[in-house]
Amino acid sequence: MTVLLYLCDVEEGGETKFPLKNTQVTPKKGRAVLFKSTHPDGALDPKSLHGSNPVIKGEKWACNKWYRERPFITQG
């Protein structure tokens, strides 16, 4: 799962959009978005695809936290 936490208000723009869910979230200080990136079987959930609209006025500060069901192992 991903938690995206907005650290400040954005005067204009900067929404987090989920195009396959036809929704977007306006960044407001203290607001958080929680979403799962995978299905229960571990397959990627395409509806978790997200991006950001450009910030038109002001600044956007956010942080994210990832929660994993299993340890993350890198190859290499």
Side-chain angles (χ1 to χ4, degrees):
M1 288 193 290
T2 298
V3 176
L4 177 62
L5 175 65
Y6 300 106
L7 303 176
C8 65
D9 293 331
V10 178
E11 292 181 63
E12 187 177 354
E15 300 86 2
T16 301
K17 58 186 175 182
F18 293 82
L20 299 179
K21 295 186 100 176
N22 197 30
T23 191
Q24 62 183 17
V25 179
T26 302
K28 297 285 182 189
K29 184 177 181 177
R31 182 176 283 173
V33 182
L34 170 69
F35 59 95
K36 292 187 84 170
S37 301
T38 60
H39 294 290
D41 67 359
L44 183 64
D45 182 354
K47 291 184 179 179
S48 69
L49 174 71
H50 61 286
S52 179
N53 290 332
V55 173
I56 297 168
K57 187 175 182 185
E59 293 185 355
K60 180 178 178 180
W61 287 85
C63 68
N64 55 328
K65 172 72 175 168
W66 295 295
Y67 293 91
R68 303 185 182 277
E69 292 182 22
R70 294 176 286 286
F72 183 73
I73 300 171
T74 60
Q75 296 181 4

